Amino acid sequence: MITRIIGLAVKEVIHLRRDWWLPAFMLIGGALELLVVGWATSRPITNLPLMVLDQDLSRASRRVVTALENTGTFAPAVMGGNRQEIEEAMDRGRINAALIIPPGFSQAVASPNGRPVLAVILNGAESVSATAALRAIEGTARSLGEAITVQRLGLDPETFAGFDPSLRVWFNEALSEAYYTVPAELALMLEFVVMLFAALTFSRERELGTLEQLLVMPFSSLEIIIGKALPVLLVGFFSFNVMLALVYFAFSIPIRGSLLLLELLAAGYLLVEMSKGMVISIVSRTQHQAFLLVMMIGMTDFMFTGYAAPVESMPEVMQLIANVIPAHHWLEILRGILLKGAGLDILWPSVAALAILGLVIVTFSLRFVRRALD
Amino acid sequence: MSFRRIRAIARKEFHHILRDRATLILVLFTPTVLLLLMAYALTVDLQHVPLAVLDYDRSPASRAFVEQITAGEDLDLYAQVNSPGELEAMLMRGEIKAALILHPQFAEDLHAARGIPLQVIVDGTEPESGGFAVEQIGRRAEEFVTRALAGRLQTLGLPAGALQPIDLRVRTWYNPGLDPQNDLIPGLVSIILGFPALSVALTLAHEREHGTMEQLMATPVGRAELLLGKMLPYILVGLFNAIFIPLLAILWFDTPFNGSFLLFFLLSAVFLFSILGIGLIVGVFMRTQAAALALSFLLIFFPGFFMTGVFFPIASMPEIVRMEALSLPGTHYAIITRSIFLTGVGLEVLWPYAVMMAGLGFVFVGIAALFFKKRLG
């Protein structure tokens, strides 16, 4: 039996050799993509275009502009001449935010009862940037306001009444954006690579009419399945390790927990995703269909991993759905081991959930594919 | 170049699509399903972020403070704990996303109007919840201290508002209330409408894999005609979605649409032409559908998702990545979609993006046609 399975696996590999693009993609494509996407998205929001209309032209107003530029959120401010200019730049989407410092700003700052006004216009057509801009502007206004109050009250700035929050970010002390974006992107790429590869196995044979040939050969359906699954698993596992190395070396993301545990769980997770791909592969009549199904299922999974929006904030129904998505538990495990250094004692709920889901999915898939083949 | 021959190829392609019902349904409705899914999953309001509190003071003032912090829907008091160890364990297990530590002299410091140390710990593996918690705690703390200190300010003869003297007046144009759904959905529309490009890459590879490309080449159809004929049905499928998907956004999600629908439709056609051009290139170079698929994911799907400025501002990307983003038709189309939906501007503003997309389209189709010949020769 073993020799026959190996024979089948070798046949798969020979297919792949004919078309070297596919294995290249499967082995390192995911990693390359992770490099570019990770690089593009793993940074704080900076360099947003800002226009300033300074009608006060005083030292106080210039201080505001400098303070804003020092937040790092904005590109050096462009000085606008009038409101029309702001309006036009907004319409054209050239700027994300505009700050208007009305005349009399410095006077209001200097007078003991003054309420200096700062007007801000945000470009709501890009809410991600607008929110970041708002945060930076609010923060700047707050610290300027505090400075003004301290001065007015004649207080010593050191003992100023107010909160003195000290923030500690656990598991990510340097506040690196890459820590949370890149592991999630790794999970996404890995899932797509494995599921896609698995989904093409039978659908390809069927479309090209070679499935018949395979079935008349003296293989049992189990042997066929294992022979098809082995290359997918091996390639997926290799791909995972390339990506992991990339995450570690290129993005300096620590592996704080046990690498062995991570590899073991990764192998289990790959088996689950591969099983899903196999089912897709057997229900699709063409590769095109298989691809469309992979895309739909892969994207659904991705939405529930908690990459873009935290699952706890989703409506209850969606939280329930998230529980039956293997990728959701996998990301939990991946982040836990990489960033928190968590072990089985802490991760066991996710591991158990993944194991149960995996058992159900793999068993179902095996029976389903076997029946379809027989 | 003859339109009749292009039409003949397009008709043949249509037959392929129509014959295979399951694929047809998938091609037509994958975009709808994905829009519904992403619009719901990606635009959740952050709320119910679990927070644990370690209150060393246990005074009426500190209790009032904790109450105020957790008064809203956004932060939930998960537990009051007695030791830092408990906080640590909860953060580790992911039960809480943030923790707040009040030190023993909280009430005293508040009364004396000294600086009040406030320790906030957040889980750095989940930025959304963590950053959000910090922001909310900061805001509530400020409100709290403002109220507590109002009396003291009055004795100094200052208005209560003096604690925050700057009057910040924020207005948000095009999307009052800064509802993320309003600009994310047009962005998603732009991502989703590019999907037919993957199908076009597949059909070309399909002909080659099945050996029917030879037959096609034996007909009097020219190379460019063949490519355009292959594109046409998918442009039509795309245009069907260019009507249907915005309607879904407007009617189902109440997304504002301030521009011209006709302009949106026309520019969508230009976008489809250019993004399908990438699909053609992939289809021309790859010999099997599997390889075409793999390359499409690398060149079309993932970049279209992450790098067109929908989720992450292009201005903040590194220089080289920004260049790559600008050479993707989707980047320009995302700007167009959001502008037409929200800003409501017309061609007088959008023409540079339209020209860029058209230019990229001609380059892509040109490359495809050029290499198509060589690869067959």
Side-chain angles (χ1 to χ4, degrees), chain B residues 6 32 34 57 72 136 184-185 187 190 213 226 268 273 302 334 363 366:
Chain B
I6 295 178
T32 310
L34 287 180
D57 193 38
Q136 294 306 318
L184 187 71
I185 288 182
S190 76
M213 191 65 94
L226 179 64
S268 297
F273 170 70
F302 286 128
V363 171

Side-chain angles (χ1 to χ4, degrees), chain A residues 11 16 27 97 110 188 200 206 273 303 317 319 354 372:
Chain A
K11 163 189 165 303
L16 289 179
L27 290 174
L188 173 76
L200 292 176
R206 178 176 298 188
E273 293 299 346
M303 294 303 130
V317 189
Q319 293 191 33
L354 186 62

Side-chain angles (χ1 to χ4, degrees), chain A residues 257-281:
Chain A
S258 146
L259 185 61
L260 182 70
L261 181 65
L262 183 62
E263 296 283 355
L264 280 175
L265 291 172
Y269 172 69
L270 288 175
L271 186 66
V272 178
E273 293 299 346
M274 190 219 51
S275 305
K276 278 160 70 182
M278 284 282 174
V279 174
I280 295 176
S281 161

Side-chain angles (χ1 to χ4, degrees), chain A residues 19 46 127 135 142 207, chain B residues 135 142 164 183 288-289 316:
Chain A
D19 188 8
T46 55
S127 67
R135 258 179 223 170
R142 206 177 299 140
E207 183 183 321
Chain B
E135 212 172 292
E142 218 157 80
Q164 186 42 272
D183 81 293
T288 62
Q289 292 184 74
S316 309

Side-chain angles (χ1 to χ4, degrees), chain A residues 19 33 46-47 91 115-116 118 120 122 124 127 135 142 149 161-162 164 166 168 170 180 207 288 291 308 313, chain B residues 42 47 113 116 118 120 122 124 127 135 142 162 164 167 169 171 173-174 183 199 210 288-289 293 298 315-316:
Chain A
D19 188 8
E33 196 71 27
T46 55
N47 208 26
D91 271 351
R115 286 279 274 160
L118 287 177
V120 175
L122 298 173
S127 67
R135 258 179 223 170
R142 206 177 299 140
T149 308
D164 174 21
S166 72
R168 278 176 51 204
W170 274 16
Y180 34 82
E207 183 183 321
H288 195 170
F291 146 69
S313 297
Chain B
L42 296 182
Q47 49 184 5
I116 307 169
L118 194 66
V120 181
V122 299
E135 212 172 292
E142 218 157 80
Q164 186 42 272
D167 181 8
R169 295 178 189 170
R171 277 195 304 159
W173 282 2
Y174 319 124
D183 81 293
S199 294
H210 287 251
T288 62
Q289 292 184 74
L293 248 182
L298 288 186
S316 309

